[in-house]
Amino acid sequence: MNKSIEKNGLLKINKDYIGIYTTIGLFIGLFLIGSVMYKGFFSIQVFTNLFIDNAYLIVVAIGEAVVIITGGIDLSVGAMIAFVSMITASLLQKGVNPFLVMIIVLIVGIIFGTVQGFLIQKFKLHPWIVTLAGMFFARGASYVISIDTIIIDNPVFTKISSIRIPIAPGAFISINVVVSLLVVAVAAYMLKFTKFGRTIYAIGGNENSAKLMGLPTDRTKILVYTFSGFCSALGGLLFTIYTLSGYGLHCNGMEMDAIAACVIGGILLTGGYGYIIGPLFGVLTTGIIQSLIMFDGTLNSWWTKIAVGMLLFLFIALQRIIVIRDEKQKVPIPVS
């Protein structure tokens, strides 16, 4: 519920939305800076290219965000993309039906995430340890399939990769963008309007309290990692369609990009707080920084990492301010 109120003719901004407002404002500000500095930057196609180039990361960041909201973490998402790309390329190379391949890799992601969630919840293992092991397993399994790059020339995949959906004169999006936005919409609905979503926030806020309320915390935490596994597999499928290749080193370290997008998008690392639209703008913000560097032409691509690192420091500080504010509000007033 929007708690913003109008007082004395002025709109008072709800403090709960400071994080997401900051992210959106930063994205708009960077886009305007690029529009002023570089000719051709202010165009619909430059904007839509942010979605086209980062559709797979948007999907993965959504799955990561849901995990983080429960107070967990998933370090296996980047390795899963590489694993999915290798499975896809290998099966297509052997002549397996491309639509069956898509189903297979999504099932692999679901099983992979469910197993991680089961180990974390049933054996009370730390998510960092379990998902780190999952990361090594998925990355290693990619090289078991092949140590070389496998090029995809399947007609169905090349056709899907080349589809352009016009949205304005001289501007288009890809199928990957449509899929990523659908995932954002489904996740937003799930967290906002379902019991499952409310339980996710309750676990992140205080898991013991959620148990005392009778909420299905064990099942929910397992399903959260199942959802993340599905998103990482779907993101891997989108990445494979985007690059038309499978390789064991694809997206090396990309789990940090997904976590960074969540932090910049206002998802609290301690859990229990955040809006699913945040990671979308977190990804777009890192994407627009990359675009600014490309338009400049004189800067090294590593400046993207430097800029994202600086943003992380700023948003972690903002998160800390939010946490301190909430703690102060919870302090009981002494009765004299």
Side-chain angles (χ1 to χ4, degrees):
M1 182 175 65
N2 193 339
K3 300 176 184 176
S4 299
I5 58 174
E6 193 170 341
K7 188 176 182 180
N8 298 327
L10 297 174
L11 186 66
K12 184 179 179 181
I13 296 176
N14 182 355
K15 293 180 180 179
D16 289 342
Y17 298 147
I18 289 176
I20 189 65
Y21 288 156
T22 303
T23 305
I24 295 173
L26 176 63
F27 170 74
I28 294 172
L30 289 172
F31 192 81
L32 291 176
I33 289 171
S35 301
V36 171
M37 292 179 62
Y38 306 112
K39 182 179 180 181
F41 194 94
F42 188 76
S43 68
I44 298 177
Q45 192 55 55
V46 169
F47 178 73
T48 57
N49 282 343
L50 295 174
F51 290 88
I52 294 171
D53 296 337
N54 297 286
Y56 70 95
L57 183 54
I58 291 172
V59 173
V60 174
I62 294 299
E64 188 73 61
V66 174
V67 172
I68 292 175
I69 289 172
T70 65
I73 201 77
D74 190 350
L75 300 177
S76 66
V77 293
M80 269 302 295
I81 289 181
F83 189 36
V84 165
S85 75
M86 289 301 289
I87 294 174
T88 303
S90 177
L91 292 177
L92 290 174
Q93 195 177 53
K94 294 175 181 177
V96 180
N97 183 284
F99 296 104
L100 179 60
V101 170
M102 294 179 190
I103 295 172
I104 289 172
V105 294
L106 292 178
I107 292 174
V108 168
I110 290 170
I111 293 173
F112 194 88
T114 302
V115 170
Q116 290 191 135
F118 181 82
L119 292 174
I120 290 167
Q121 186 59 30
K122 294 301 180 181
F123 296 98
K124 307 304 177 185
L125 300 174
H126 199 285
W128 281 88
I129 302 301
V130 174
T131 58
L132 182 65
M135 180 183 74
F136 285 129
F137 176 86
R139 190 70 69 178
S142 301
Y143 285 104
V144 170
I145 296 173
S146 176
I147 61 173
D148 300 317
T149 302
I150 303 176
I151 303 300
I152 295 174
D153 56 3
N154 180 272
V156 173
F157 270 68
T158 53
K159 177 65 176 177
I160 294 173
S161 179
S162 64
I163 290 177
R164 298 291 180 263
I165 303 171
I167 59 171
F172 60 85
I173 58 174
S174 64
I175 291 290
N176 286 7
V177 176
V178 176
V179 174
S180 66
L181 293 179
L182 282 174
V183 171
V184 174
V186 169
Y189 178 85
M190 177 183 73
L191 290 177
K192 182 73 174 178
F193 298 108
T194 67
K195 181 180 178 181
F196 178 65
R198 291 189 291 271
T199 304
I200 288 173
Y201 280 105
I203 292 172
N206 191 311
E207 186 172 352
N208 291 328
S209 296
K211 286 181 179 179
L212 292 174
M213 292 168 62
L215 297 175
T217 56
D218 289 1
R219 184 183 66 189
T220 300
K221 285 187 74 173
I222 293 173
L223 288 176
V224 160
Y225 285 92
T226 301
F227 180 74
S228 180
F230 169 78
C231 285
S232 60
L234 180 57
L237 188 57
L238 297 182
F239 183 83
T240 305
I241 291 171
Y242 179 67
T243 61
L244 291 177
S245 67
Y247 184 41
L249 272 179
H250 274 331
C251 297
N252 193 20
M254 201 218 67
E255 57 278 351
M256 294 300 129
D257 293 332
I259 295 170
C262 292
V263 173
I264 294 172
I267 303 294
L268 203 63
L269 286 174
T270 52
Y273 181 90
Y275 302 94
I276 208 65
I277 196 70
L280 169 64
F281 279 96
V283 171
L284 295 179
T285 299
T286 58
I288 206 165
I289 291 171
Q290 205 165 23
S291 296
L292 287 168
I293 291 170
M294 289 175 61
F295 266 81
D296 184 271
T298 61
L299 296 174
N300 190 291
S301 61
W302 285 104
W303 278 101
T304 302
K305 299 293 183 182
I306 295 171
V308 171
M310 293 173 63
L311 286 178
L312 280 175
F313 280 122
L314 291 173
F315 278 89
I316 288 172
L318 180 61
Q319 286 191 5
R320 187 57 189 161
I321 292 171
I322 293 172
V323 170
I324 292 173
R325 186 204 71 196
D326 290 343
E327 287 175 350
K328 286 182 178 180
Q329 290 177 349
K330 292 177 182 177
V331 174
I333 300 173
V335 180
S336 57

